[in-house]
Amino acid sequence: MKFVARFVHILLWLKVAVSPALLGAFIGGMICFALNEMVLPVITICTGFGVVLGIIWAEKTRRTVGLSKFHGRLIGHPEVDGSKSK
């Protein structure tokens, strides 16, 4: 059971860390789209910057709030779970 808990914890950490990396790749792609040419170093730099920010964010979240509590707050938000606020 400890293996499953560790695996879920790793997946939650990756979920937090990868999101800025994807955003960086998207921004790099938009820059290349604006330049009308594919410049691989631009995409690589933007993605790398996103990976570094994602690692920092995931570690800060893990140490301060906790990954399970962080995701619980996101999923339990009234706008996400579909309940109507009064």
Side-chain angles (χ1 to χ4, degrees):
M1 198 57 142
K2 207 170 197 179
F3 172 75
V4 175
R6 169 93 54 200
F7 183 70
V8 169
H9 189 73
I10 289 171
L11 288 179
L12 290 175
W13 189 90
L14 284 173
K15 191 175 174 182
V16 175
V18 169
S19 57
L22 292 175
L23 182 64
F26 178 74
I27 291 171
M30 290 294 105
I31 291 171
C32 289
F33 182 73
L35 296 173
N36 281 335
E37 65 178 282
M38 190 65 137
V39 184
L40 193 58
V42 170
I43 296 174
T44 306
I45 289 170
C46 289
T47 305
F49 187 66
V51 166
V52 170
L53 285 177
I55 290 171
I56 292 169
W57 184 31
E59 278 300 304
K60 183 175 180 184
T61 302
R62 182 183 66 86
R63 289 181 184 154
T64 57
V65 178
L67 293 169
S68 298
K69 191 172 185 179
F70 176 76
H71 284 339
R73 285 182 184 174
L74 291 177
I75 292 171
H77 196 274
E79 292 180 2
V80 176
D81 68 2
S83 63
K84 296 183 181 196
S85 60
K86 295 179 181 183

Coordinates of all heavy atoms in Angstrom, one line a residue:
M1 N 0.8 -1.2 0.0 CA 0.0 0.0 0.0 C 0.9 1.3 0.0 O 0.5 2.3 -0.5 CB -0.9 0.0 1.2 CG -2.1 0.9 1.1 SD -3.0 0.5 -0.4 CE -4.6 0.8 0.1
K2 N 2.0 1.2 0.6 CA 2.9 2.3 0.6 C 3.4 2.7 -0.8 O 3.6 3.8 -1.1 CB 4.1 2.0 1.5 CG 4.7 3.2 2.1 CD 5.7 2.7 3.2 CE 6.0 3.9 4.1 NZ 7.0 3.6 5.1
F3 N 3.5 1.7 -1.6 CA 3.9 1.9 -3.0 C 2.9 2.7 -3.8 O 3.2 3.7 -4.5 CB 4.2 0.6 -3.7 CG 4.4 0.7 -5.2 CD1 5.6 1.2 -5.7 CD2 3.4 0.4 -6.1 CE1 5.8 1.3 -7.0 CE2 3.6 0.5 -7.5 CZ 4.9 1.0 -7.9
V4 N 1.6 2.4 -3.6 CA 0.5 3.1 -4.2 C 0.5 4.6 -3.7 O 0.3 5.5 -4.5 CB -0.8 2.4 -4.0 CG1 -1.9 3.2 -4.6 CG2 -0.8 1.0 -4.6
A5 N 0.6 4.8 -2.4 CA 0.6 6.1 -1.9 C 1.8 6.9 -2.4 O 1.6 8.1 -2.8 CB 0.7 6.1 -0.4
R6 N 2.9 6.4 -2.5 CA 4.1 7.1 -3.1 C 3.9 7.4 -4.6 O 4.2 8.5 -5.0 CB 5.4 6.2 -2.9 CG 6.6 6.7 -3.6 CD 7.5 7.6 -2.9 NE 8.0 7.1 -1.7 CZ 8.5 7.9 -0.8 NH1 8.6 9.1 -1.0 NH2 8.9 7.4 0.4
F7 N 3.3 6.4 -5.3 CA 3.0 6.7 -6.7 C 2.1 7.8 -6.9 O 2.3 8.7 -7.8 CB 2.5 5.4 -7.3 CG 2.2 5.4 -8.8 CD1 3.3 5.6 -9.7 CD2 0.9 5.4 -9.3 CE1 3.1 5.6 -11.1 CE2 0.7 5.5 -10.6 CZ 1.8 5.6 -11.5
V8 N 1.0 7.8 -6.1 CA 0.0 8.9 -6.2 C 0.6 10.3 -5.9 O 0.4 11.3 -6.5 CB -1.2 8.6 -5.3 CG1 -2.1 9.8 -5.2 CG2 -2.0 7.4 -5.9
H9 N 1.5 10.3 -4.8 CA 2.2 11.5 -4.4 C 3.1 12.0 -5.6 O 3.1 13.2 -5.8 CB 3.0 11.2 -3.2 CG 3.6 12.4 -2.6 ND1 2.8 13.3 -1.9 CD2 4.9 12.9 -2.5 CE1 3.6 14.3 -1.4 NE2 4.8 14.1 -1.8
I10 N 3.8 11.1 -6.3 CA 4.6 11.5 -7.4 C 3.8 12.1 -8.5 O 4.2 13.1 -9.1 CB 5.5 10.3 -7.9 CG1 6.6 10.0 -6.8 CG2 6.1 10.6 -9.2 CD1 7.3 8.7 -7.0
L11 N 2.6 11.4 -8.8 CA 1.8 11.9 -9.9 C 1.2 13.3 -9.5 O 1.1 14.2 -10.4 CB 0.6 11.0 -10.1 CG 1.0 9.7 -10.8 CD1 -0.2 8.8 -11.0 CD2 1.6 9.9 -12.2
L12 N 0.9 13.6 -8.3 CA 0.4 14.9 -7.9 C 1.5 15.9 -8.0 O 1.3 17.0 -8.5 CB -0.1 14.9 -6.4 CG -1.4 14.1 -6.2 CD1 -1.7 14.1 -4.7 CD2 -2.5 14.7 -6.9
W13 N 2.7 15.6 -7.7 CA 3.9 16.5 -7.8 C 4.1 16.8 -9.3 O 4.3 18.0 -9.6 CB 5.1 15.9 -7.2 CG 6.3 16.8 -7.1 CD1 6.6 17.6 -6.0 CD2 7.3 17.0 -8.1 NE1 7.7 18.3 -6.3 CE2 8.2 18.0 -7.6 CE3 7.5 16.5 -9.3 CZ2 9.3 18.4 -8.3 CZ3 8.6 17.0 -10.1 CH2 9.5 17.9 -9.5
L14 N 4.1 15.8 -10.1 CA 4.3 16.0 -11.6 C 3.1 16.8 -12.2 O 3.4 17.7 -13.1 CB 4.3 14.7 -12.3 CG 5.6 13.9 -12.2 CD1 5.5 12.5 -12.8 CD2 6.8 14.7 -12.8
K15 N 1.9 16.7 -11.7 CA 0.8 17.5 -12.1 C 1.1 19.0 -11.9 O 0.8 19.8 -12.7 CB -0.5 17.0 -11.4 CG -1.7 17.6 -12.0 CD -2.9 16.9 -11.3 CE -4.2 17.5 -11.6 NZ -5.3 16.9 -10.9
V16 N 1.6 19.3 -10.7 CA 1.9 20.7 -10.4 C 3.1 21.2 -11.2 O 3.1 22.3 -11.7 CB 2.2 20.9 -8.9 CG1 2.6 22.3 -8.6 CG2 0.9 20.5 -8.1
A17 N 4.1 20.3 -11.4 CA 5.4 20.8 -12.0 C 5.3 20.9 -13.5 O 5.9 21.7 -14.1 CB 6.5 19.8 -11.6
V18 N 4.4 20.1 -14.1 CA 4.4 20.1 -15.6 C 3.5 21.2 -16.2 O 3.8 21.6 -17.3 CB 3.9 18.7 -16.1 CG1 3.5 18.7 -17.5 CG2 4.9 17.6 -15.8
S19 N 2.6 21.7 -15.4 CA 1.7 22.7 -15.9 C 2.4 24.0 -16.4 O 2.1 24.5 -17.5 CB 0.5 23.0 -15.0 OG 1.0 23.4 -13.7
P20 N 3.4 24.5 -15.6 CA 4.1 25.7 -16.1 C 5.0 25.3 -17.3 O 5.2 26.2 -18.2 CB 5.0 26.1 -14.9 CG 4.3 25.6 -13.7 CD 3.7 24.3 -14.2
A21 N 5.4 24.1 -17.4 CA 6.3 23.7 -18.5 C 5.4 23.7 -19.8 O 5.9 24.1 -20.9 CB 6.9 22.3 -18.3
L22 N 4.2 23.2 -19.7 CA 3.3 23.2 -20.9 C 3.0 24.7 -21.3 O 2.9 25.0 -22.5 CB 2.0 22.5 -20.6 CG 2.2 20.9 -20.5 CD1 0.9 20.3 -20.1 CD2 2.7 20.3 -21.7
L23 N 2.8 25.5 -20.3 CA 2.5 26.9 -20.6 C 3.7 27.6 -21.3 O 3.5 28.3 -22.2 CB 2.1 27.7 -19.3 CG 1.8 29.1 -19.4 CD1 0.5 29.3 -20.2 CD2 1.6 29.8 -18.1
G24 N 4.9 27.3 -20.8 CA 6.1 27.8 -21.4 C 6.3 27.3 -22.9 O 6.6 28.1 -23.8
A25 N 5.9 26.0 -23.1 CA 6.0 25.5 -24.5 C 5.0 26.2 -25.4 O 5.3 26.5 -26.5 CB 5.8 24.0 -24.5
F26 N 3.8 26.5 -24.8 CA 2.8 27.2 -25.6 C 3.2 28.6 -25.9 O 3.0 29.1 -27.1 CB 1.5 27.2 -24.8 CG 0.4 27.9 -25.5 CD1 -0.3 27.4 -26.6 CD2 0.0 29.2 -25.0 CE1 -1.3 28.1 -27.2 CE2 -1.0 29.9 -25.7 CZ -1.7 29.3 -26.8
I27 N 3.8 29.3 -25.0 CA 4.3 30.6 -25.2 C 5.4 30.6 -26.2 O 5.4 31.5 -27.1 CB 4.7 31.3 -23.9 CG1 3.5 31.6 -23.0 CG2 5.5 32.6 -24.1 CD1 3.9 32.0 -21.6
G28 N 6.3 29.7 -26.1 CA 7.4 29.6 -27.2 C 6.8 29.3 -28.5 O 7.3 29.9 -29.5
G29 N 5.7 28.5 -28.6 CA 5.1 28.2 -29.9 C 4.4 29.5 -30.4 O 4.5 29.7 -31.7
M30 N 3.8 30.3 -29.6 CA 3.2 31.5 -30.0 C 4.2 32.5 -30.5 O 4.0 33.3 -31.4 CB 2.3 32.1 -28.9 CG 1.1 31.3 -28.6 SD -0.1 31.3 -29.9 CE 0.1 29.7 -30.5
I31 N 5.4 32.5 -29.8 CA 6.4 33.4 -30.3 C 6.9 33.0 -31.7 O 7.1 33.9 -32.6 CB 7.6 33.4 -29.3 CG1 7.2 34.1 -28.0 CG2 8.8 34.1 -29.9 CD1 8.2 34.0 -26.9
C32 N 7.1 31.7 -31.9 CA 7.5 31.2 -33.2 C 6.4 31.5 -34.3 O 6.7 31.8 -35.4 CB 7.8 29.7 -33.2 SG 9.3 29.3 -32.3
F33 N 5.1 31.4 -33.9 CA 4.0 31.7 -34.8 C 4.0 33.2 -35.2 O 3.8 33.5 -36.3 CB 2.7 31.3 -34.1 CG 1.5 31.6 -35.0 CD1 1.2 30.7 -36.0 CD2 0.6 32.6 -34.7 CE1 0.1 30.9 -36.8 CE2 -0.5 32.8 -35.5 CZ -0.7 32.0 -36.6
A34 N 4.4 34.0 -34.2 CA 4.4 35.5 -34.5 C 5.6 35.8 -35.4 O 5.5 36.7 -36.2 CB 4.5 36.3 -33.2
L35 N 6.7 35.0 -35.3 CA 7.9 35.2 -36.2 C 7.7 34.6 -37.5 O 8.6 34.8 -38.4 CB 9.1 34.7 -35.5 CG 9.5 35.4 -34.2 CD1 10.7 34.6 -33.5 CD2 9.9 36.8 -34.4
N36 N 6.7 33.8 -37.7 CA 6.5 33.0 -38.9 C 7.6 32.0 -39.3 O 7.8 31.8 -40.5 CB 6.2 33.9 -40.1 CG 4.8 34.5 -40.1 OD1 3.9 33.9 -39.6 ND2 4.6 35.6 -40.7
E37 N 8.3 31.5 -38.3 CA 9.3 30.5 -38.5 C 9.5 29.7 -37.3 O 9.3 30.2 -36.2 CB 10.6 31.1 -39.0 CG 11.3 32.0 -38.0 CD 12.7 32.4 -38.6 OE1 13.6 31.7 -38.5 OE2 12.7 33.6 -39.0
M38 N 9.9 28.5 -37.4 CA 10.1 27.6 -36.3 C 11.5 27.7 -35.7 O 12.4 27.3 -36.4 CB 9.8 26.1 -36.7 CG 9.8 25.2 -35.6 SD 8.4 25.6 -34.6 CE 7.8 24.0 -34.2
V39 N 11.6 28.3 -34.6 CA 12.9 28.6 -33.9 C 12.9 27.7 -32.7 O 12.4 28.0 -31.7 CB 13.1 30.0 -33.5 CG1 14.5 30.3 -33.0 CG2 12.8 30.9 -34.7
L40 N 13.6 26.5 -32.8 CA 13.6 25.5 -31.8 C 14.2 26.0 -30.5 O 13.7 25.7 -29.4 CB 14.3 24.3 -32.3 CG 14.1 23.0 -31.4 CD1 12.7 22.7 -31.2 CD2 14.9 21.9 -31.9
P41 N 15.3 26.8 -30.5 CA 15.9 27.4 -29.3 C 14.9 28.2 -28.5 O 14.9 28.2 -27.3 CB 17.1 28.2 -29.7 CG 17.5 27.6 -31.0 CD 16.2 27.1 -31.6
V42 N 14.0 28.9 -29.1 CA 13.0 29.8 -28.4 C 12.1 28.9 -27.7 O 11.8 29.1 -26.5 CB 12.3 30.7 -29.4 CG1 11.1 31.3 -28.7 CG2 13.2 31.7 -30.0
I43 N 11.6 27.8 -28.3 CA 10.7 26.9 -27.7 C 11.4 26.2 -26.5 O 10.8 26.0 -25.4 CB 10.1 25.9 -28.7 CG1 9.3 26.6 -29.7 CG2 9.3 24.8 -28.0 CD1 8.8 25.7 -30.8
T44 N 12.6 25.8 -26.7 CA 13.4 25.1 -25.7 C 13.6 26.0 -24.5 O 13.5 25.5 -23.3 CB 14.7 24.6 -26.3 OG1 14.5 23.8 -27.4 CG2 15.5 23.8 -25.3
I45 N 14.0 27.2 -24.7 CA 14.2 28.1 -23.6 C 12.9 28.4 -22.8 O 12.9 28.4 -21.6 CB 14.9 29.4 -24.1 CG1 16.3 29.2 -24.6 CG2 14.8 30.5 -23.1 CD1 16.9 30.3 -25.3
C46 N 11.8 28.7 -23.5 CA 10.6 28.9 -22.8 C 10.1 27.7 -22.1 O 9.6 27.8 -20.9 CB 9.5 29.3 -23.8 SG 9.8 31.0 -24.5
T47 N 10.3 26.5 -22.6 CA 9.9 25.3 -21.9 C 10.8 25.0 -20.7 O 10.3 24.7 -19.7 CB 9.9 24.1 -22.9 OG1 9.1 24.4 -24.0 CG2 9.4 22.8 -22.2
G48 N 12.1 25.3 -20.9 CA 13.0 25.1 -19.8 C 12.7 26.0 -18.7 O 12.8 25.7 -17.5
F49 N 12.4 27.3 -19.0 CA 12.0 28.2 -18.0 C 10.8 27.8 -17.2 O 10.7 27.9 -16.0 CB 11.8 29.6 -18.6 CG 11.6 30.7 -17.6 CD1 12.6 31.1 -16.8 CD2 10.4 31.4 -17.6 CE1 12.4 32.1 -15.9 CE2 10.2 32.4 -16.7 CZ 11.2 32.8 -15.8
G50 N 9.8 27.2 -18.0 CA 8.6 26.7 -17.4 C 8.9 25.5 -16.5 O 8.3 25.4 -15.4
V51 N 9.8 24.6 -16.9 CA 10.2 23.5 -16.1 C 10.8 23.9 -14.7 O 10.4 23.4 -13.7 CB 11.1 22.5 -16.8 CG1 11.8 21.5 -15.9 CG2 10.4 21.8 -18.0
V52 N 11.7 24.9 -14.8 CA 12.3 25.4 -13.6 C 11.3 26.0 -12.6 O 11.3 25.7 -11.4 CB 13.4 26.4 -13.9 CG1 13.9 27.1 -12.7 CG2 14.6 25.7 -14.6
L53 N 10.4 26.8 -13.2 CA 9.4 27.4 -12.4 C 8.4 26.4 -11.8 O 8.0 26.5 -10.6 CB 8.5 28.4 -13.2 CG 9.2 29.8 -13.4 CD1 8.3 30.7 -14.3 CD2 9.6 30.5 -12.2
G54 N 8.1 25.3 -12.6 CA 7.2 24.3 -12.1 C 7.9 23.5 -11.0 O 7.2 23.1 -10.0
I55 N 9.1 23.2 -11.1 CA 9.8 22.5 -10.0 C 9.8 23.3 -8.7 O 9.5 22.8 -7.6 CB 11.2 22.1 -10.4 CG1 11.2 21.0 -11.5 CG2 12.1 21.6 -9.2 CD1 12.5 20.7 -12.2
I56 N 10.1 24.6 -8.9 CA 10.1 25.5 -7.7 C 8.7 25.5 -7.1 O 8.5 25.4 -5.9 CB 10.6 26.9 -8.0 CG1 12.1 26.8 -8.4 CG2 10.4 27.9 -6.9 CD1 12.7 28.1 -9.0
W57 N 7.7 25.7 -7.9 CA 6.3 25.8 -7.4 C 5.9 24.5 -6.8 O 5.2 24.5 -5.7 CB 5.4 26.1 -8.6 CG 4.0 26.4 -8.2 CD1 3.5 26.9 -7.0 CD2 2.8 26.1 -9.0 NE1 2.1 26.9 -7.1 CE2 1.7 26.5 -8.3 CE3 2.7 25.7 -10.3 CZ2 0.4 26.4 -8.8 CZ3 1.4 25.6 -10.8 CH2 0.3 25.9 -10.1
A58 N 6.2 23.3 -7.4 CA 5.8 22.0 -6.8 C 6.4 21.8 -5.5 O 5.8 21.3 -4.5 CB 6.1 20.9 -7.8
E59 N 7.7 22.1 -5.4 CA 8.4 21.9 -4.1 C 7.9 22.8 -3.0 O 7.7 22.4 -1.9 CB 9.9 22.1 -4.3 CG 10.6 20.8 -4.8 CD 10.4 19.6 -3.9 OE1 10.7 19.7 -2.7 OE2 9.9 18.6 -4.4
K60 N 7.6 24.1 -3.4 CA 7.1 25.0 -2.4 C 5.7 24.6 -1.9 O 5.4 24.6 -0.7 CB 7.0 26.4 -3.0 CG 6.5 27.5 -2.0 CD 6.6 28.8 -2.6 CE 6.1 29.8 -1.5 NZ 6.0 31.2 -2.0
T61 N 4.9 24.1 -2.8 CA 3.6 23.6 -2.5 C 3.7 22.4 -1.6 O 2.9 22.2 -0.6 CB 2.8 23.3 -3.8 OG1 2.7 24.4 -4.6 CG2 1.4 22.8 -3.4
R62 N 4.6 21.5 -1.9 CA 4.7 20.2 -1.2 C 5.2 20.5 0.3 O 4.7 20.0 1.2 CB 5.8 19.3 -1.8 CG 6.0 18.0 -1.1 CD 7.0 17.2 -1.8 NE 8.4 17.8 -1.6 CZ 9.2 17.6 -0.6 NH1 8.8 16.9 0.4 NH2 10.4 18.2 -0.6
R63 N 6.0 21.5 0.4 CA 6.6 21.8 1.7 C 5.6 22.7 2.6 O 5.6 22.5 3.8 CB 7.9 22.6 1.6 CG 9.0 21.7 1.1 CD 10.3 22.5 1.1 NE 11.3 21.7 0.5 CZ 12.4 22.1 -0.2 NH1 12.5 23.4 -0.3 NH2 13.3 21.3 -0.6
T64 N 4.9 23.5 2.0 CA 4.0 24.4 2.8 C 2.6 23.9 3.0 O 2.2 23.6 4.1 CB 3.9 25.8 2.1 OG1 3.5 25.7 0.8 CG2 5.3 26.5 2.1
V65 N 1.9 23.7 1.9 CA 0.5 23.3 2.0 C 0.3 21.8 2.0 O -0.5 21.3 2.7 CB -0.3 23.9 0.8 CG1 -1.8 23.5 0.8 CG2 -0.2 25.4 0.8
G66 N 1.1 21.1 1.1 CA 0.9 19.7 0.9 C 0.2 19.5 -0.4 O -0.8 20.2 -0.7
L67 N 0.6 18.5 -1.2 CA 0.1 18.3 -2.5 C -1.4 17.8 -2.5 O -2.2 18.3 -3.3 CB 1.0 17.3 -3.3 CG 2.3 17.8 -3.6 CD1 3.2 16.7 -4.1 CD2 2.3 18.9 -4.6
S68 N -1.7 17.0 -1.6 CA -3.1 16.5 -1.5 C -4.1 17.6 -1.1 O -5.1 17.7 -1.7 CB -3.2 15.4 -0.4 OG -2.4 14.3 -0.8
K69 N -3.7 18.4 -0.1 CA -4.5 19.5 0.3 C -4.6 20.6 -0.8 O -5.7 21.1 -1.1 CB -3.9 20.1 1.5 CG -4.9 21.1 2.2 CD -4.3 21.5 3.5 CE -5.3 22.4 4.3 NZ -4.8 22.8 5.6
F70 N -3.5 20.8 -1.6 CA -3.5 21.7 -2.7 C -4.5 21.3 -3.7 O -5.4 22.1 -4.2 CB -2.1 21.9 -3.2 CG -2.0 22.7 -4.5 CD1 -2.1 24.1 -4.3 CD2 -1.9 22.2 -5.7 CE1 -2.0 24.9 -5.4 CE2 -1.8 23.0 -6.8 CZ -1.8 24.4 -6.7
H71 N -4.5 20.0 -4.1 CA -5.4 19.5 -5.2 C -6.8 19.5 -4.6 O -7.8 19.7 -5.4 CB -4.9 18.2 -5.7 CG -3.8 18.2 -6.6 ND1 -3.4 19.4 -7.3 CD2 -2.9 17.3 -6.9 CE1 -2.3 19.1 -8.0 NE2 -2.0 17.9 -7.8
G72 N -7.0 19.1 -3.4 CA -8.3 19.1 -2.8 C -9.0 20.5 -2.8 O -10.2 20.6 -3.0
R73 N -8.2 21.5 -2.5 CA -8.7 22.9 -2.6 C -9.1 23.2 -4.0 O -10.1 23.9 -4.2 CB -7.7 23.9 -2.1 CG -7.5 23.9 -0.6 CD -6.5 25.0 -0.3 NE -6.2 25.0 1.1 CZ -5.3 25.8 1.7 NH1 -4.5 26.6 0.9 NH2 -5.0 25.7 3.0
L74 N -8.3 22.8 -5.0 CA -8.7 23.1 -6.4 C -10.0 22.4 -6.8 O -10.8 22.9 -7.5 CB -7.5 22.7 -7.3 CG -6.3 23.5 -7.2 CD1 -5.2 23.0 -8.2 CD2 -6.5 25.0 -7.6
I75 N -10.0 21.1 -6.5 CA -11.2 20.3 -6.9 C -12.4 20.7 -6.1 O -13.5 20.6 -6.7 CB -10.8 18.8 -6.8 CG1 -9.8 18.4 -7.8 CG2 -12.1 17.9 -7.0 CD1 -9.2 17.0 -7.6
G76 N -12.3 21.0 -4.9 CA -13.4 21.3 -4.0 C -14.0 22.7 -4.2 O -14.9 23.1 -3.5
H77 N -13.4 23.5 -5.1 CA -13.9 24.9 -5.3 C -15.3 24.9 -5.9 O -15.6 24.1 -6.7 CB -12.9 25.7 -6.2 CG -13.1 27.1 -6.1 ND1 -14.0 27.8 -6.9 CD2 -12.5 28.1 -5.4 CE1 -14.0 29.1 -6.6 NE2 -13.0 29.3 -5.7
P78 N -16.2 25.8 -5.4 CA -17.6 25.7 -5.9 C -17.7 25.9 -7.4 O -18.6 25.3 -7.9 CB -18.2 26.9 -5.1 CG -17.4 27.2 -4.0 CD -16.0 26.7 -4.3
E79 N -16.9 26.6 -8.0 CA -17.0 26.8 -9.4 C -16.6 25.6 -10.2 O -17.0 25.4 -11.3 CB -16.1 28.0 -9.9 CG -16.7 29.3 -9.4 CD -15.8 30.5 -9.9 OE1 -14.8 30.3 -10.6 OE2 -16.1 31.6 -9.5
V80 N -15.7 24.7 -9.6 CA -15.3 23.5 -10.3 C -16.2 22.3 -10.0 O -16.5 21.6 -10.9 CB -13.8 23.2 -9.8 CG1 -13.4 21.9 -10.4 CG2 -12.9 24.3 -10.1
D81 N -16.7 22.2 -8.8 CA -17.5 21.0 -8.5 C -19.0 21.1 -8.9 O -19.7 20.2 -8.8 CB -17.3 20.6 -7.0 CG -18.0 21.6 -6.1 OD1 -18.5 22.6 -6.5 OD2 -17.9 21.3 -4.9
G82 N -19.4 22.3 -9.4 CA -20.7 22.5 -9.9 C -21.8 22.9 -8.9 O -22.9 23.1 -9.3
S83 N -21.4 23.1 -7.7 CA -22.4 23.5 -6.7 C -22.6 25.0 -6.8 O -21.7 25.8 -7.2 CB -22.0 23.2 -5.3 OG -20.8 23.9 -4.9
K84 N -23.9 25.4 -6.6 CA -24.2 26.8 -6.7 C -23.9 27.6 -5.4 O -24.3 27.1 -4.4 CB -25.7 27.0 -7.2 CG -25.9 26.4 -8.5 CD -27.3 26.6 -9.0 CE -27.5 26.0 -10.3 NZ -28.6 26.4 -11.0
S85 N -23.3 28.7 -5.5 CA -23.1 29.5 -4.3 C -24.3 30.4 -4.1 O -25.0 30.8 -5.0 CB -21.8 30.4 -4.5 OG -22.0 31.3 -5.6
K86 N -24.5 30.7 -2.8 CA -25.7 31.5 -2.4 C -25.4 32.9 -2.3 O -24.4 33.4 -2.0 CB -26.3 30.9 -1.2 CG -26.8 29.5 -1.4 CD -27.4 29.0 -0.1 CE -27.8 27.6 -0.3 NZ -28.4 27.0 0.8

